Amino acid sequence: MEIRPLNSFFGVRSVPDIPYNVYESDLYSTDDAAVDAQKYLIDTRKLRLSTIQHFHVGYNRQYHEIAIPIFRAGELIDYKYRGISEKSFRRWPGSETWVLNDNAFDFATEDKYIITVEGEVDGMSVFQLGHRSVISVVGGAQGPTPWINRIPDDVKVYINFDSDSVGQESAQKLADRIGIDRCYNVIL
């Protein structure tokens, strides 16, 4: 016997009830915990303030973690949380799997390429290097890919996953789903 929540059976997804600007506002507070979060993003992860603001990155005080909002067509549908003191990840329970920076699908048509990375901070780092056509797979490299049909047909797809065996296996699986003939594996 299997017991599942009805929302998973009927395909209903949970939508975050915390507006992104609450976390975003908490990031810019001056208490020690928020300053710690700012230092983590700017000093440790080397993100520029303009990049942090562009992606509306925030701070979850309750769990002392970075809150990265995930939007689909401008609507908040998920959060990816990342621990600051320890490398831990979680998402908003029951939310839809999507990508960070879904605007990249529109830019890809003009740019003639799209870059796919594993981590959200990796995606923001590539974005701040001047590549607006970059997405990060929020569900992880081996997660679901409901966004795959948004990749324009006539663009090159650069897959830049981790160089370990799991990352490279995931890159191969993603290339198989997209169409291996238009994918390029980037190993750094």
Side-chain angles (χ1 to χ4, degrees):
M1 179 164 115
E2 178 183 4
I3 299 175
R4 296 187 314 182
L6 282 177
N7 66 350
S8 69
F9 182 75
F10 292 111
V12 176
R13 299 289 185 188
S14 173
V15 176
D17 59 3
I18 301 173
Y20 70 88
N21 59 351
V22 171
Y23 289 140
E24 193 174 24
S25 175
D26 284 348
L27 179 64
Y28 299 107
S29 126
T30 56
D31 63 79
D32 289 346
V35 170
D36 188 33
Q38 295 164 22
K39 286 180 180 179
Y40 169 77
L41 291 168
I42 295 169
D43 297 340
T44 304
R45 299 312 301 256
K46 306 297 183 199
L47 292 176
R48 294 183 198 128
L49 183 58
S50 60
T51 301
I52 294 166
Q53 291 169 338
H54 177 82
F55 287 100
H56 302 288
V57 176
Y59 173 61
N60 181 348
R61 293 180 174 286
Q62 183 178 2
Y63 296 105
H64 189 55
E65 60 192 359
I66 300 301
I68 303 169
I70 306 300
F71 299 94
R72 186 185 48 169
E75 178 187 344
L76 176 66
I77 62 166
D78 193 4
Y79 281 107
K80 180 77 175 268
Y81 298 99
R82 190 203 193 285
I84 295 170
S85 12
E86 59 184 57
K87 189 175 181 178
S88 61
F89 302 97
R90 68 183 183 91
R91 292 179 50 207
W92 186 266
S95 60
E96 179 180 356
T97 298
W98 199 240
V99 298
L100 174 73
N101 194 30
D102 79 338
N103 294 328
F105 297 120
D106 298 326
F107 294 131
T109 302
E110 184 180 327
D111 295 343
K112 299 295 183 203
Y113 70 88
I114 193 161
I115 301 168
T116 305
V117 299
E118 279 185 90
E120 292 74 28
V121 174
D122 294 341
M124 290 186 268
S125 296
V126 172
F127 177 87
Q128 79 180 11
L129 290 172
H131 299 283
R132 60 187 185 165
S133 297
V134 59
I135 58 172
S136 172
V137 293
V138 173
Q142 296 191 5
T145 55
W147 46 268
I148 210 165
N149 293 332
R150 289 286 320 275
I151 299 174
D153 291 332
D154 60 341
V155 303
K156 294 178 181 178
V157 180
Y158 295 99
I159 302 173
N160 185 7
F161 285 0
D162 291 346
S163 60
D164 61 14
S165 60
V166 174
Q168 289 306 293
E169 181 181 318
S170 300
Q172 179 66 48
K173 287 179 181 178
L174 181 59
D176 289 341
R177 289 184 209 151
I178 294 171
I180 198 112
D181 55 318
R182 56 193 279 220
C183 293
Y184 299 83
N185 191 22
V186 178
I187 302 173
L188 300 176

